[in-house]
C-alpha cells in the first residue's frame, strides 16, 4: 500500500499524519518535489465533514463527500508515499513515528518511519466525559461509518416500532431519538432527521407519525453557543415550529441501553432528574484528545499542562520541539476546532515548507558561489560579478528566512436548522458581522458548501443527490 519509489537521499523526509482538513490543505499547497513526502492515515480519503449530517438520512450519499487520497497525491509535483495506517507512537527524541497497518481490524503489522520534519494533523475523538454507558450505547457523528450506522439504526427503530403487537411504551421509545449536545453537530443532525420524518417517513410509514419524536439535550442555557444571540433565538424558535423538543440546562449523567438519565436545572435553580427512554441516541458533545497525542504530550515537558491538545507557537511548531508542527483539532489554540481553521493552517504550513525549501536552495547556491569566489583572482571582473551575485542571493535568502506567523481569517459560521432554513454569522468587513437566518440563508449555505467541495466530481455528486431527493424523496430501505 505505498508508492514504491525510493526516498531521495538529498531531500529531507516530511511525514504528514492524517488526511483531514489540515493535512490535505497542506498537501494541496506544498511543492512536493522539495521533500520526500510520506502521508500516514487510517482513512484513505478526505472527508468533507460539513455535509456529513446529511448522510445520516440519505439526503446525500456518503461517497459524494469522499475524495480518495490517491487521487489527491497523484496530481502532485513528485511521488508522495501513502500508508493506510495509524500512528501509534511519536518518538520525538529519536525522530521516529511508529505506524500500524489499518487494512484489517486485527492487523498488528507495525513499522517505524524516520522523519526530518513531522506534521501532526490527526484530528480529535468524540468526547464522552467518561459518562457511564455512552461509549456502549450511543452513536457518534464524526466519520462515514458513524453516519452509516445512524442511517441504519433510524430504519431499524422505525421498522421494529411498526412490528405488530408491540406495547405502546416500547413503540414510543423506539420512535424517540435523543440528540445530546446542542453544538452545530447536534443541531444539524436533529434538523436533518426531522426533515426526513416530515418529508418522507411520514408518507411511507404513516403508522409511526403520531409517536415519532426528536429531543435535543443541551447542558448550557441555549443551543449553538458559538453563534450570535439573534441566531440562537431564531434556531430555538425554528426547532419549536418543527416540533423538535429542546431541553436546555439539562446535563446527561448516565446512559443505559434504552434510557437516558439527565439532570435538569429548573428556573428557580433546583435540580430535577429526568429519565428519557430512547430508540436512537446520537452523542455530539464535542472533541477530546487522541491517545497518540496524549502520549506525545506526556513525553514533552512543555506540553505537561495542556489538557485540550498540543500547544503550538505562532508558526504552528509544537512547543518543546524542533521540526514538528501540528494543526487542526489535535491542537489547543485560541481558535475553535473547525474545518476553516484547520484548512487555513494547512495552507499556511504548505507555504512555509515551500519557503523553507527555497531558503535551503539559496543557502546551497550562496555556499557554492562563495567557494567559486575564493578560487578567482582578487579584484578580477569575474570575482566582482560573483560577489554581487552572492549579495543578491543573500538578500533573497534573508527574505526567505523571515517567516510570518499564522494568522486566522474568520469568514463566518453556517449551520442548517431544518425545513430548508439555515443560519449564518458572516464576517463581511474587518470589524463588522452580519447575521441572517431563513430560506435565503439556506440557498447561501448550499452554494457555499457546494463551492467548497473538494473536486468537481464531489460537486456534481452532491448536486445530483440534492436533485434526486427533490424528485424521488429519500430512500427508506434498510441495508
Ligand atoms: P480531521 O479532519 O478530523 O482529520 C484527521 C485525520 O487524521 C483523519 O484523516 C483521520 O483518519 C486521521 N487520523 C486519526 N488518527 C490518526 C492516527 N493515529 N495516525 C494518523 N492519522 C490519524 N467545521 C467547519 O468549519 N464547518 C462545518 O460546517 C463543520 N461541520 C462539521 C460537521 C460534523 C458532523 C463534524 C464532525 C465536524 C464539522 N466541522 C466543521 C469541524 C471540522 O470537521 C473539523 O474541525 C476538522 O475536520 C478538523 O480538521 P483536522 O484536519 O484537524 O482533523
Ligand atoms: P461542540 O463542542 O460545539 O458542542 C457540544 C455541546 O455539547 C456543548 O454545547 C456542550 O455544552 C454540550 N454538552 C457537553 N456535555 C453534555 C452533557 N453531558 N449533556 C448535555 N449537553 C452536553 O461540539 P460539536 O457540535 O460536535 O462541534 C465540534 C466542533 O466542530 C466545533 O468547533 C464546531 O464549531 C465544529 N462544527 C461546526 C459545524 C458548522 O459550522 N456547521 C458543524 C459541526 C461541527
Amino acid at each position: 500500500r505505498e508508492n514504491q519509489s525510493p526516498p531521495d537521499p538529498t531531500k529531507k523526509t516530511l511525514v504528514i499524519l492524517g488526511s483531514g482538513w489540515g493535512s490535505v490543505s497542506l498537501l494541496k499547497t506544498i511543492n512536493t518535489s522539495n521533500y520526500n513526502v510520506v502521508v500516514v492515515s487510517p482513512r484513505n480519503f478526505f472527508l468533507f465533514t460539513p455535509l456529513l449530517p446529511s448522510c445520516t438520512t440519505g439526503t446525500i450519499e456518503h461517497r459524494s463527500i469522499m475524495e480518495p487520497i490517491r487521487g489527491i497525491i497523484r496530481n502532485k509535483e513528485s511521488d508522495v508515499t501513502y500508508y493506510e495506517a495509524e500512528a501509534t507512537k511519536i518518538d520525538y527524541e529519536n525522530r521516529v513515528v511508529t505506524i500500524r497497518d489499518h487494512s484489517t481490524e486485527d492487523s498488528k503489522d507495525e513499522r517505524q518511519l524516520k522523519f526530518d520534519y513531522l506534521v501532526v494533523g490527526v484530528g480529535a475523538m468524540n468526547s464522552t466525559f467518561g459518562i457511564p454507558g455512552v461509549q456502549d450505547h450511543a452513536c457518534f457523528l464524526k466519520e462515514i461509518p458513524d453516519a452509516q450506522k445512524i442511517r441504519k439504526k433510524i430504519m431499524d427503530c422505525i421498522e421494529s416500532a411498526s412490528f405488530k403487537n408491540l406495547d405502546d411504551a416500547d413503540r414510543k421509545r423506539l420512535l424517540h431519538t435523543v440528540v445530546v449536545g446542542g453544538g452545530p453537530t447536534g443541531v444539524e443532525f436533529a434538523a436533518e432527521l426531522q426533515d426526513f420524518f416530515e418529508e418522507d417517513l411520514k408518507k411511507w410509514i404513516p403508522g409511526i407519525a403520531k409517536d415519532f419524536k426528536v429531543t435535543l439535550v443541551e447542558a448550557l442555557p441555549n443551543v449553538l453557543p458559538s453563534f450570535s444571540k439573534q441566531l440562537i433565538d431564531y434556531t430555538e424558535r425554528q426547532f419549536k415550529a418543527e416540533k423538535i423538543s429542546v431541553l436546555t440546562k439539562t446535563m446527561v449523567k448516565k446512559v443505559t441501553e434504552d434510557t437516558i438519565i439527565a439532570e435538569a436545572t429548573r428556573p428557580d435553580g433546583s435540580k430535577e432528574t429526568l429519565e428519557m427512554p430512547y430508540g436512537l441516541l446520537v452523542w455530539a458533545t464535542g472533541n477530546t484528545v487522541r491517545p497518540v497525542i496524549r502520549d506525545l504530550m506526556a513525553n514533552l515537558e512543555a506540553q505537561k499542562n495542556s489538557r485540550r491538545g498540543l500547544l503550538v507557537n505562532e508558526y504552528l511548531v509544537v512547543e518543546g520541539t524542533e521540526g514538528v508542527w501540528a494543526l487542526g483539532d489535535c491542537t489547543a489554540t485560541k481558535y475553535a476546532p473547525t474545518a476553516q481553521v484547520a484548512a487555513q493552517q494547512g495552507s499556511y504550513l504548505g507555504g512555509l515548507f515551500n519557503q523553507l525549501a527555497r531558503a535551503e536552495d539559496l543557502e546551497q547556491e550562496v555556499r557554492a558561489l562563495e567557494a567559486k569566489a575564493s578560487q578567482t583572482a582578487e579584484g578580477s571582473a569575474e570575482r566582482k560579478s560573483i560577489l554581487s551575485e552572492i549579495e543578491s542571493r543573500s538578500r533573497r535568502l534573508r527574505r526567505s528566512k523571515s517567516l510570518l506567523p499564522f494568522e486566522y481569517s474568520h469568514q463566518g459560521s453556517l449551520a442548517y436548522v431544518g425545513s430548508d432554513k439555515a443560519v449564518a454569522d458572516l464576517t463581511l468587513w474587518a470589524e463588522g458581522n452580519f447575521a441572517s437566518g431563513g430560506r435565503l440563508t439556506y440557498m447561501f449555505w448550499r452554494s457555499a458548501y457546494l463551492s467548497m467541495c473538494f473536486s468537481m466530481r464531489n460537486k456534481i455528486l452532491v448536486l445530483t443527490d440534492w436533485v434526486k431527493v427533490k424528485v424521488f424523496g429519500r430512500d427508506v430501505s434498510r441495508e
Side-chain angles (χ1 to χ4, degrees):
R1 52 196 65 246
E2 71 189 280
N3 301 342
Q4 289 296 347
S5 57
D8 178 343
T10 64
K11 294 177 188 169
K12 294 232 163 45
T13 296
L14 165 64
V15 174
I16 301 171
L17 303 181
S19 54
W21 279 96
S23 301
V24 163
S25 157
L26 156 63
L27 262 176
K28 276 194 329 200
T29 321
I30 192 173
N31 180 340
T32 51
S33 61
N34 295 319
Y35 301 92
N36 297 308
V37 179
V38 183
V39 179
V40 176
S41 178
R43 195 176 77 191
N44 76 351
F45 56 90
F46 166 76
L47 172 62
F48 188 77
T49 47
L51 292 178
L52 188 62
S54 303
C55 295
T56 58
T57 56
T59 308
I60 283 178
E61 293 298 336
H62 62 273
R63 286 197 178 268
S64 306
I65 55 167
M66 292 159 60
E67 186 66 21
I69 199 80
R70 300 284 180 185
I72 298 169
I73 60 180
R74 196 183 56 184
N75 297 322
K76 292 305 296 178
E77 297 78 5
S78 66
D79 278 355
V80 172
T81 302
Y82 169 68
Y83 293 105
E84 190 187 73
E86 179 187 6
T88 52
K89 170 103 191 147
I90 299 168
D91 178 352
Y92 170 65
E93 242 167 62
N94 296 304
R95 303 191 86 76
V96 167
V97 184
T98 305
I99 62 171
R100 186 167 58 216
D101 176 23
H102 210 264
S103 54
T104 56
E105 267 189 14
D106 52 359
S107 170
K108 293 197 172 54
D109 185 5
E110 281 200 339
R111 64 175 73 173
Q112 304 214 308
L113 284 180
K114 273 203 104 20
F115 63 84
D116 298 296
Y117 298 145
L118 176 69
V119 174
V120 187
V122 299
M125 305 194 306
N126 298 292
S127 68
T128 65
F129 301 103
I131 295 172
V134 176
Q135 202 66 54
D136 293 337
H137 305 299
C139 293
F140 299 97
L141 184 50
K142 200 162 198 48
E143 299 288 345
I144 291 288
D146 299 332
Q148 288 172 305
K149 187 174 166 189
I150 293 174
R151 190 173 174 182
K152 185 167 172 293
K153 191 85 204 267
I154 294 169
M155 293 319 299
D156 269 351
C157 288
I158 286 170
E159 295 298 358
S160 303
S162 314
F163 200 68
K164 63 177 181 176
N165 295 341
L166 204 67
D167 76 40
D168 213 36
D170 263 350
R171 200 185 55 255
K172 281 192 171 142
R173 177 183 69 75
L174 284 166
L175 293 175
H176 185 204
T177 295
V178 179
V179 185
V180 181
T185 305
V187 163
E188 291 191 324
F189 169 68
E192 292 280 355
L193 181 56
Q194 192 66 22
D195 279 3
F196 187 22
F197 168 69
E198 289 294 341
E199 292 164 18
D200 301 289
L201 292 169
K202 223 158 80 169
K203 283 185 229 150
W204 289 90
I205 318 164
I208 62 162
K210 75 176 172 29
D211 290 327
F212 187 89
K213 187 175 165 197
V214 179
T215 302
L216 180 68
V217 181
E218 166 58 51
L220 296 175
N222 54 264
V223 299
L224 292 183
S226 57
F227 281 68
S228 56
K229 171 87 176 76
Q230 159 191 1
L231 295 182
I232 290 171
D233 293 346
Y234 177 84
T235 305
E236 291 184 351
R237 276 201 312 276
Q238 185 56 35
F239 270 24
K240 201 165 175 190
E242 289 168 25
K243 299 193 185 65
I244 297 174
S245 59
V246 178
L247 302 179
T248 51
K249 293 192 183 169
T250 305
M251 164 96 76
V252 174
K253 298 280 186 182
K254 189 178 166 191
V255 171
T256 70
E257 64 175 335
D258 54 12
T259 308
I260 286 155
I261 293 112
E263 188 182 79
T265 308
R266 292 207 198 99
D268 65 3
S270 63
K271 307 276 184 200
E272 180 188 4
T273 300
L274 302 177
E275 288 202 7
M276 285 174 263
Y278 71 87
L280 168 64
L281 165 62
V282 174
W283 193 265
T285 63
N287 294 340
T288 190
V289 180
R290 289 194 188 279
V292 66
I293 300 298
R294 207 174 286 289
D295 177 75
L296 176 63
M297 282 158 56
N299 287 303
L300 293 171
E301 195 53 44
Q303 302 283 340
K304 289 242 158 92
N305 294 325
S306 177
R307 294 282 163 269
R308 288 192 300 121
L310 287 167
L311 300 173
V312 292
N313 70 11
E314 66 272 39
Y315 303 97
L316 308 184
V317 175
V318 174
E319 298 280 10
T321 72
E322 264 177 45
V324 180
W325 291 260
L327 75 182
D329 286 7
C330 65
T331 61
T333 62
K334 57 184 170 181
Y335 311 116
T338 64
Q340 219 182 133
V341 171
Q344 288 184 29
Q345 289 176 328
S347 53
Y348 166 80
L349 277 189
L352 186 133
F353 280 113
N354 294 342
Q355 211 177 328
L356 280 180
R358 259 196 309 278
E360 274 177 28
D361 284 349
L362 283 167
E363 238 161 27
Q364 272 177 18
E365 284 167 22
V366 169
R367 272 200 300 274
L369 284 168
E370 280 169 352
K372 201 170 166 193
S374 68
Q375 285 159 12
T376 51
E378 202 68 50
S380 67
E382 190 189 358
R383 188 181 166 90
K384 274 189 197 146
S385 125
I386 295 173
L387 288 179
S388 99
E389 194 57 34
I390 290 176
E391 183 48 40
S392 119
R393 286 184 200 210
S394 300
R395 262 201 310 273
R396 279 166 55 199
L397 178 60
R398 278 194 295 279
R399 272 204 303 275
S400 296
K401 279 190 164 173
S402 62
L403 303 172
L404 292 174
F406 170 70
E407 259 181 52
Y408 172 61
S409 144
H410 186 64
Q411 306 297 304
S413 307
L414 294 167
Y416 180 59
V417 297
S419 295
D420 291 353
K421 295 190 177 104
V423 290
D425 253 335
L426 302 176
T427 312
L428 290 185
W429 56 95
E431 298 301 323
N433 277 357
F434 173 72
S436 79
R439 275 177 211 275
L440 262 181
T441 315
Y442 172 61
M443 298 314 292
F444 175 73
W445 177 92
R446 277 198 159 182
S447 48
Y449 283 157
L450 198 61
S451 71
M452 277 183 237
C453 279
F454 189 89
S455 60
M456 186 50 78
R457 180 183 141 275
N458 286 151
K459 290 186 214 287
I460 291 170
L461 290 176
V462 166
L463 200 57
T464 313
D465 288 343
W466 281 336
V467 173
K468 248 173 22 192
V469 164
K470 205 75 210 148
V471 178
F472 303 112
R474 297 169 187 82
D475 186 348
V476 296
S477 15
R478 190 174 73 86
E479 22 157 15

